[in-house]
Amino acid sequence: MSPRFLLLLFVMAGLVVAFAPLPVQSVTPQERTIDIDARQYTYSPSELQVNKGDTVTIKLISTDVVHGLYVDGYDVSIEANPGQTATLTFTADKAGSFRFRCNVTCGAMHPFMIGKLTVGTNNWLYRSIGLATLAIFGTVISIKQKA
Amino acid sequence: MAKIELNRNPFIENALKSRYPQLAVFIVMLVGYIFAILAGLIGTPVGSHNFSIVFVWIAWWAVLILVAVPFFGRGWCAVCPIPLPGEWLQRGAMLAPPNKRPKWLNLRVPKMFRNIWLQNISFLLLALFSSVLLTTPNITSIVLAAMLFAAIGLSTIFERRAFCRYLCPVGGFIGLYSQTAPIELRIRDKQACVKCEGKPCYNGSEVGYGCPWDVFPGGLTKNTYCGLCMECIRTCPHDNIAVNLRPFSADLAKPTTRMDEAFKSFIMLGSAMIYAGVLLGPWGMLKDAAYNVGSNSWFVYAGVFLAIIFGVLPGLFSLGIYQRQNNIAFKQRFASLSTALIPLGMMFWVAFSLSFVLTNASYILTALSDPLGLGWNLFSTANTAWQPMLTSILAPAQTLALVGGLIWSARTAQKAANESWTSSMPVIVYCFLLTSVMLWLLL
């Protein structure tokens, strides 16, 4: 098999791994309310799991200074004053893993006050590991061919 | 791909031979550096609104790790302002031709320190305090000032750029990763160097200084210790120095045999993974431990940090490459095969930095208009709202960087394994496992 054909084959396989549609598990959307405590420089809980389509209500309670919560990818945010509760509601209509982070300067480690929201399955992680596996196979085969 | 001699072009050759363009850049950089020190000391203590934090750890870091190192190797070292005041003091001149009489003590660095172990240690020291360093303006200022004064002090004691070559925490990893860059400085004709009397490129002459990096250009085979200062282009009487455009990672075909360089690979690889977990992960306990320097939890964090870098990562690597019967000593194989970790480590840093930089880049506009956080609005951008940039392409870009680094490392492993008469598979599997962990941490 010529090296160019092999490369083409692996690139095609890579595209399939990266972009092929996956069967979607149909789960009835729910309304979820999640209480999150925010303090310098962490959220509790800091890892959230919801299903795609869920209506998510986050009640953010700040226990020390003013904190915010901004969800990457959804571009929605709230701010909570100390001792008060702020509420954010959005529909989790995009699947995947998203960081949520403080968007109000709250102290030195503010840029690293981060949590993680997973909507459905974090397919991109599995696709990426699949790509890494494919890349290794491709490289090993190409090395063996050269040898 | 054949090499292209960039300085065959008369414009480039003249620009490199003249000291003035480089001096102009140096002065801008030095002014920026001193301003960063001052901003950290007198400006707002809020890191995300202080020039020192925003321009050093977001803007400069982004340029360094995403552009300068991958594409220009030690290009940053060519314009870095840190050695300048010390060098001017050492030479007793800014631009004038060298006076042969040595200034100050002009000692040779003791042989036991002529390696990068001190750079490994200085990087680790900063790494252990990085959560404070990256977020606290006056700490950043103190570190920047300490580096400047250390460079000045060493210039008065030792010859050439002892700080850059043996102590700079940044220079160590730039040197390691510069081996992958598509730029190199090499000689054109070996015989011209062999016959050259006085070796002015190394010893200096009436037209220029001897190599500040303590490198004889005639013997250069890797980028690691060439600071691209261009002094040899000015001093070579035979016009024998070329700045070449070359394929990426050309130097990695010649695996290292040095343990200090091998451990540098593990230090960089491990630090990128730990930072991805601690700084970008959702685990508040880790952030608390990393930030509260001096607390019990910080000592545990520091211990785990060092254990991962000096124990877990090299230990697993050693287990993978261990063979009872091999004509090449284990230590030599360890060093040689660790070369494969260089591209992977660099791409780990690229993937980590993409996330950090794109999320915080909007602070650059704010700090540009109000560098001290005093309520100025110099360019009408002081009130720019914080907004992460390009979040939709972040994860694919990180995957591309990490998987690309994995392929690059696997191919490098094969070359290194051929040199060591061993199999590359354990190293490839090792790289795959680390890449999977990094993907999990970042995605």
Side-chain angles (χ1 to χ4, degrees):
Chain A
M1 203 181 292
S2 83
R4 281 189 182 188
F5 180 73
L6 198 66
L7 179 68
L8 184 70
L9 202 67
F10 273 98
V11 169
M12 299 283 278
L15 289 172
V16 170
V17 172
F19 300 112
L22 296 172
V24 183
Q25 262 191 326
S26 65
V27 181
T28 313
Q30 296 177 17
E31 294 203 353
R32 289 179 189 267
T33 301
I34 304 166
D35 290 340
I36 299 181
D37 283 347
R39 65 166 178 87
Q40 286 175 322
Y41 303 98
T42 184
Y43 295 104
S44 180
S46 59
E47 293 179 83
L48 313 178
Q49 172 77 54
V50 300
N51 292 319
K52 193 181 172 190
D54 286 355
T55 302
V56 180
T57 298
I58 290 175
K59 289 187 173 176
L60 183 69
I61 305 139
S62 174
T63 58
D64 43 26
V65 297
V66 182
H67 287 290
L69 189 150
Y70 170 92
V71 187
D72 286 2
Y74 281 86
D75 199 21
V76 292
S77 62
I78 37 167
E79 279 181 37
N81 289 318
Q84 294 183 354
T85 303
T87 304
L88 168 72
T89 301
F90 63 98
T91 305
D93 53 1
K94 295 175 210 165
S97 171
F98 304 90
R99 291 290 193 271
F100 58 89
R101 56 186 87 237
C102 185
N103 62 337
V104 179
T105 304
C106 62
M109 283 282 279
H110 154 73
F112 305 115
M113 185 169 167
I114 293 170
K116 190 174 174 182
L117 165 70
T118 305
V119 180
T121 312
N122 186 3
N123 284 331
W124 185 251
L125 171 63
Y126 301 124
R127 287 180 192 272
S128 297
I129 291 173
L131 285 171
T133 311
L134 197 64
I136 284 302
F137 272 116
T139 310
V140 170
I141 290 172
S142 124
I143 288 169
K144 292 240 184 275
Q145 270 203 335
K146 277 186 188 167
Chain B
M1 180 187 138
K3 290 178 182 178
I4 299 169
E5 285 188 27
L6 296 175
N7 56 333
R8 284 279 182 214
N9 177 310
F11 176 78
I12 296 175
E13 175 79 355
N14 291 337
L16 295 179
K17 272 195 168 169
S18 168
R19 294 175 188 280
Y20 290 102
Q22 195 179 24
L23 181 69
V25 181
F26 269 145
I27 288 174
V28 172
M29 294 291 176
L30 189 58
V31 169
Y33 192 87
I34 291 169
F35 185 69
I37 293 173
L38 293 175
L41 294 176
I42 63 174
T44 173
V46 180
S48 51
H49 292 274
N50 189 302
F51 180 89
S52 70
I53 294 291
V54 175
F55 272 79
V56 174
W57 299 124
I58 301 175
W60 169 76
W61 183 258
V63 172
L64 181 77
I65 214 74
L66 302 177
V67 183
V69 172
F71 295 102
F72 300 98
R74 277 208 187 258
W76 165 254
C77 298
V79 296
C80 175
I82 296 174
L84 277 195
E87 199 166 65
W88 291 337
L89 199 67
Q90 189 185 56
R91 292 172 175 176
M94 282 173 72
L95 278 177
N99 180 341
K100 284 287 182 189
R101 196 160 42 89
K103 306 279 189 304
W104 305 88
L105 294 178
N106 206 40
L107 301 176
R108 187 127 176 85
V109 172
K111 197 177 178 193
M112 65 179 293
F113 295 123
R114 275 186 251 145
N115 49 54
I116 62 166
W117 279 115
L118 282 179
Q119 288 182 314
N120 289 347
I121 292 168
S122 63
F123 178 86
L124 278 172
L125 272 178
L126 293 187
L128 287 175
F129 296 96
S130 58
S131 295
V132 178
L133 176 63
L134 294 178
T135 56
T136 315
N138 57 5
I139 301 292
T140 285
S141 287
I142 289 167
V143 169
L144 294 182
M147 285 166 71
L148 194 66
F149 286 115
I152 292 172
L154 290 178
S155 293
T156 61
I157 299 169
F158 298 110
E159 60 171 6
R160 309 177 198 252
R161 290 187 182 179
F163 175 81
C164 301
R165 180 70 202 263
Y166 302 112
L167 191 58
C168 177
V170 180
F173 76 77
I174 296 181
L176 185 78
Y177 294 148
S178 69
Q179 297 177 71
T180 66
I183 291 274
E184 65 177 17
L185 183 143
R186 297 288 187 274
I187 54 165
R188 291 183 172 128
D189 174 15
K190 206 165 184 75
Q191 282 308 310
C193 292
V194 172
K195 290 175 191 162
C196 179
E197 284 183 22
K199 308 284 187 275
C201 60
Y202 183 74
N203 296 313
S205 68
E206 65 282 357
V207 294
Y209 299 92
C211 177
W213 287 78
D214 200 16
V215 168
F216 171 52
L220 266 179
T221 54
K222 296 204 295 183
N223 283 353
T224 318
Y225 303 110
C226 167
L228 294 178
C229 66
M230 307 296 163
E231 203 55 38
C232 54
I233 291 188
R234 294 163 195 145
T235 51
C236 179
H238 309 291
D239 199 19
N240 196 33
I241 307 288
V243 178
N244 298 321
L245 197 60
R246 64 174 196 182
F248 280 93
S249 84
D251 290 353
L252 300 183
K254 301 173 277 286
T256 186
T257 53
R258 291 173 46 168
M259 289 302 270
D260 55 343
E261 292 179 3
F263 268 91
K264 187 80 199 167
S265 298
F266 287 103
I267 289 169
M268 296 312 296
L269 204 62
S271 301
M273 295 173 79
I274 293 166
Y275 283 172
V278 173
L279 298 178
L280 305 181
W283 305 289
M285 201 176 70
L286 292 182
K287 294 177 209 290
D288 282 346
Y291 183 69
N292 292 311
V293 172
S295 65
N296 289 342
S297 57
W298 180 81
F299 282 107
V300 173
Y301 163 76
V304 172
F305 193 114
L306 296 175
I308 289 173
I309 282 168
F310 288 112
V312 177
L313 291 180
L316 290 174
F317 188 79
S318 301
L319 280 177
I321 65 168
Y322 181 76
Q323 285 175 330
R324 275 171 188 269
Q325 290 176 330
N326 191 301
N327 292 333
I328 296 173
F330 176 78
K331 204 171 158 182
Q332 196 181 331
R333 265 186 301 134
F334 179 91
S336 173
L337 290 170
S338 73
T339 306
L341 307 179
I342 293 173
L344 191 70
M346 190 174 75
M347 297 317 267
F348 274 23
W349 278 97
V350 167
F352 163 76
S353 303
L354 274 173
S355 175
F356 173 61
V357 168
L358 291 178
T359 307
N360 296 299
S362 59
Y363 288 129
I364 294 173
L365 293 175
T366 316
L368 198 63
S369 273
D370 187 14
L372 303 178
L374 298 178
W376 304 349
N377 197 357
L378 300 175
F379 305 104
S380 307
T381 55
N383 298 318
T384 307
W386 171 83
Q387 182 72 32
M389 294 164 68
L390 304 172
T391 47
S392 59
I393 64 153
L394 178 59
Q398 287 176 317
T399 299
L400 205 63
L402 294 175
V403 174
L406 178 63
I407 296 171
W408 196 350
S409 275
R411 299 183 72 86
T412 308
Q414 181 56 32
K415 287 175 195 162
N418 286 345
E419 297 270 323
S420 303
W421 298 97
T422 187
S423 165
S424 60
M425 277 315 288
V427 180
I428 292 176
V429 170
Y430 180 85
C431 290
F432 171 75
L433 293 175
L434 293 192
T435 304
S436 301
V437 173
M438 193 66 174
L439 285 165
W440 172 71
L441 288 169
L442 289 176
L443 299 178

